[in-house]
């Protein structure tokens, strides 16, 4: 069997200029990065702003399991299939971080015959967006430390700086550091830490900004820490939002690439789906909507985290709301949700499919609360049995949700035709009537409680003392009318990663809140969220190489 | 008067594809980064390898002073003038670091009407080379710390790791840090520090590598630290040279841009000129030599540091050696070398020109030791007087060195015609007979002493105890047949920055030696060398902004 990189390197790519011609994009609308990657110019983004948006399809999933669901693969394969049945379709998905690439074998550009290409570039430096974000983030850190060193005119309390540095690598040794050591000429000593770049608030900002002015405004609003009197210090107090925006002036432009089947794809931005909202950029999705009849986009993790945030945080910034939500599941993952261990997944287990279906059913119900029609996509595996598939079809019928099998990993566009047709039929027959889950004018406690009860199905929310103090402070700072970005385990509806399926009878505990004024939301943490991964005992880097002619080897 | 960025933005750029057509470079030989920047493909680099090299001209300078010499400006203007008089000419210069851009107003892409463009891009992210180097450097750090954390099979002594992290920013707070703090899951606590990216050994390696295999070999040879028994640990012991080369696979390809006058220029690589060799990449210079009749290149700082390293470290990796050396000076800088204070430079002072000429004369004499003809270029300033220029011409005549005035900053190509003609005449009439200053088979002490006595004119070299111990260790490790890379103040021939002119009667003290086995040289430190600059009280970042349409504002 061919590996992903072997499949990718066997494809004859078209120049990106040809791929986007059918969307009405000319050579002069592009800033090429090699022959197969390009950024779209601001002029073109502006020029199509008045176009009526096409249909928007959000791809999400059940709670992730170690069995794997293949959400990106389905997103890409579905778009390829839609193009094949004559619908002018674009993809808008996230770009991967280099950190995990060096750590664990496995890319983030789809898989098998459903990939965006050139996958080596997309998984390495791509068009430099991550590097620009890293640089802007760390320039701000350097400017903060320089401000302290040069006399601290703003009276920043160095113990209460919440802005951390970042690198786009998995590097556990940088999680907790002390800086400014060694001598008075080396600045003011203080504790600090590094997150991975995708966890930077600047990544979330880049993905929510609607244009350059909005970007600058959001950067200016970042809270970097507090004064000795606990009043907040903003980037605008340091007057460096212009410089940060300048560093990001290319990164904000959406990147264009192609799938194996030549479907044009925006691959742009990639914030975390726990401490941030987990979706590709608003600019990419908005522009795709104005260029194509169908835009297929994706949200991080399961629907309880990613889709909730897509619908409550990202959608209000888009020119339209989703016309359908596709929920991806696999028979294997349903079985895991039904209690089967990973090493027993290859055996038929109809009862486990039934039990695990509770997880899928609850996500379907949740998505319907937003007034959007739902389609279930089953990402086929060779180990799926006829009996298992039959019971799943029955269960879907019972809750009246259309279901389609997809084998895009193995069969590419052809493997997605059923799903594409089911989706088009659903959209054509069931008009969406989008509404948000909560009103931003509710209190912070009310908003969190609404998400926890209606999406997670918790009995109640427990706010720890620290969280209560922080909420009071946020009310005082007039920050309480922002949406909530929940940071919770992706593995369960609850805040306990071990409670699979559709748990009930649990509480959600809010330990801490973090203001992300630039992104425009308040993060509510239910536990410790890992914002800097580590490398495994045998990092994937050990297998990597490059041939004398520059060909990437051993990447995936 | 127009600023550099105003001049730059007023120029109508040609597509880079048109600029390089006359060199025989087609669209398919390029990897475009937007319309005005490109990387040259490996295939094209290989395809021209058999071409006979053209003439090579090295531009260097007297010891730098706060008055400014304008070496890059002369390099660019000279090339423009050579093209104007019908010589097919290319430029090969270094690319700037983002760190200083954020700190102190002033770019590194020439100035006035002698600039490489687009200067905003070149001074910001350009084609991402710096980011790739940062990432490769820090991936190695993460892999080292992960190795310690996962059991330390190689037995690395965490107190003796010499490999540091880097950022491409001026950030004094990162000079000295502790990492791995907070909990056992965060790795092994140890002291570390960050250099600026251009100080990374990987930058030096990228600039000396002749192809991908050589790059990998050099990466494998990096010494990252020592075991408890003091034996060295190499990157090859960690088996990650393949991954590091993969991260650098685009960065190693030379970048093509144009000057205001459409002269094609390689702008590629930019190592420090103290702890590294301070020249653009071997690949860029070699390829320029094979594409053009004249290649104008540049070395860092004054001729005692930059040109010495160009001639002793870089040249042996080139297909040819310099046909001429241009030494840049200004009347103002000569006056400073003659004892005049910065605030008195606007007054005529013929005696000071005479006194300061000693500095220039010694550099001329030094360069002649390499068997290469020398031309003096005087970068004109409006404050230069006729008497000052007359005496300078007399002094140059007395030591038989051709001299030409150049006003390329104000007048572009026209301002460089005299210099171009003087240079061509010199090359045509005086064949070069290049020889290195020292043989690599001399001992480390002998090589250092040779540089110190013949170039700096020191009486003797004092090796401190630490340096002696390190030399003994290097002999034991079989590292003593490498060339020497001197790290010394750029402001003086001596190791005391206050001794201007042509000092005598001083000693050079070697405090420490650092093995750079990947780069392939031993660094000899005469004092503390700053490898991480800080930001000033009012950083240039405060003036930067970007317009709604993406235009850079306030950059320079």
């Amino acid at each position: 069997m061919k590996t992903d990189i072997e499949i990718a390197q066997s494809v004859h790519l078209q120049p990106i200029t040809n791929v986007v011609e059918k969307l009405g994009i000319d050579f002069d609308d592009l800033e090429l990065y090699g022959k197969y990657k390009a950024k779209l110019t601001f002029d073109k983004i502006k020029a199509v702003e008045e176009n009526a948006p096409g249909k928007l399809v959000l791809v999400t999933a059940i709670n992730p399991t170690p069995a794997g669901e293949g959400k990106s693969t389905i997103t890409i394969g579905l778009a390829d299939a839609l193009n094949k049945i004559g619908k002018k379709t674009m993809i808008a998905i996230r770009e991967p971080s280099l950190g995990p690439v060096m750590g664990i074998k496995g890319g983030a550009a789809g898989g098998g015959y459903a990939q965006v290409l050139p996958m080596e570039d997309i998984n390495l430096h791509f068009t430099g967006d991550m590097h620009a974000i890293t640089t802007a983030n760390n320039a701000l850190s350097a400017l903060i430390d320089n401000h302290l060193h040069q006399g601290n005119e703003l009276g920043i309390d160095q113990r209460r700086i919440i802005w951390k540095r970042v690198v786009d690598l998995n590097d556990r040794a940088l999680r907790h550091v002390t800086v400014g050591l060694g001598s008075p000429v080396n600045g003011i000593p203080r504790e600090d830490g590094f997150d991975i770049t995708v966890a930077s608030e600047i990544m979330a900002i880049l993905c929510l900004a609607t244009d350059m002015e909005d970007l600058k405004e959001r950067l200016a609003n970042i809270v970097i820490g507090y004064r000795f009197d606990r009043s907040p210090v903003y980037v605008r107090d340091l007057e460096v939002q212009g410089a940060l925006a300048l560093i990001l002036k290319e990164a904000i432009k959406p990147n264009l690439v192609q799938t194996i089947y030549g479907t044009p794809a925006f691959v742009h931005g990639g914030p975390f789906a726990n401490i941030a909202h987990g979706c590709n950029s608003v600019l990419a999705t908005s522009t795709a909507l104005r260029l194509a009849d169908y835009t297929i986009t994706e949200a991080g993790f399961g629907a309880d985290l990613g889709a909730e945030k897509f619908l409550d945080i990202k959608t209000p910034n888009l020119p339209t709301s989703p016309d359908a939500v596709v929920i991806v599941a696999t028979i294997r993952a349903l079985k895991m949700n039904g209690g089967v261990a990973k090493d027993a997944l290859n055996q038929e287990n109809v009862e486990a499919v039934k039990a695990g279906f509770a997880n899928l059913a609850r996500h379907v119900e949740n998505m319907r609360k937003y007034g959007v029609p739902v389609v279930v996509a089953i990402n086929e595996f060779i180990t799926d049995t006829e009996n298992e598939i039959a019971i799943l079809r029955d269960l879907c019928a019972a809750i009246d949700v259309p279901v389609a099998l997809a084998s895009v990993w193995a069969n590419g566009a052809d493997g997605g035709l059923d799903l594409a047709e089911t989706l088009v039929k659903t959209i054509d027959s069931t008009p969406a009537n989008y509404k948000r889950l909560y009103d931003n004018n509710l209190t912070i406690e009310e908003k969190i409680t609404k998400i926890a009860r209606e999406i997670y199905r918790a009995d109640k929310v427990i706010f720890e003392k620290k969280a209560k103090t922080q909420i009071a402070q946020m009310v005082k700072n007039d920050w309480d009318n922002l949406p909530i970005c929940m940071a919770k385990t992706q593995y369960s509806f609850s805040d306990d990663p071990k409670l699979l399926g559709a748990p009930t009878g649990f509480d959600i505990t809010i330990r801490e809140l973090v203001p992300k004024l630039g992104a425009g939301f308040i993060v509510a943490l239910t536990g410790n969220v890992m914002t800097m991964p580590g490398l495994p005992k045998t990092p994937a880097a050990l297998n990597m190489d490059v041939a004398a002619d520059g060909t990437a080897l051993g990447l995936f």
Side-chain angles (χ1 to χ4, degrees), chain A residues 202-324:
Chain A
I202 291 182
M203 173 57 93
I205 288 173
L206 192 90
C207 288
L208 287 167
T210 50
D211 59 21
M212 193 57 86
E213 292 303 308
D214 185 36
L215 176 74
K216 243 189 285 182
E217 178 67 23
R218 287 172 181 272
L219 291 167
N221 286 342
I222 293 172
V223 177
I224 61 103
Y226 300 89
R227 294 185 183 81
F228 289 97
D229 67 2
R230 305 288 175 95
S231 63
V233 181
Y234 298 90
V235 163
R236 78 170 81 95
D237 299 322
L238 289 162
E239 298 173 61
V240 295
Q241 62 272 16
L244 302 185
L246 181 64
I247 295 173
L248 298 168
K249 82 183 177 74
E250 302 306 317
I252 195 181
K253 299 174 189 166
N255 308 302
L256 280 162
V257 292
Q258 64 191 291
T259 69
I260 288 178
Y261 292 86
T263 300
F266 280 125
V267 178
H268 189 225
F272 263 29
N274 41 42
I275 58 138
H277 64 291
C279 314
N280 71 267
S281 77
V282 161
L283 267 179
T285 309
S286 301
T287 307
L289 285 164
R290 288 155 178 154
L291 291 169
D293 296 331
Y294 283 76
T295 295
I296 315 298
T297 191
E298 190 192 347
F301 295 148
D304 53 329
L305 279 173
E308 186 271 311
K309 293 173 187 187
F310 184 96
L311 293 160
D312 287 321
I313 295 175
K314 180 174 172 175
T315 300
N317 294 296
L318 293 177
T320 186
S321 54
D323 293 279

Side-chain angles (χ1 to χ4, degrees), chain A residues 59 79 95 105 114 310 353 377 382 394 406 427 442 445 447 457 508:
Chain A
V59 177
E95 55 187 306
K105 226 173 145 66
F310 184 96
V353 174
I382 200 144
D394 290 349
I427 288 175
L442 297 180
E445 291 92 333
K447 285 180 277 199
R457 316 300 175 96
I508 289 283

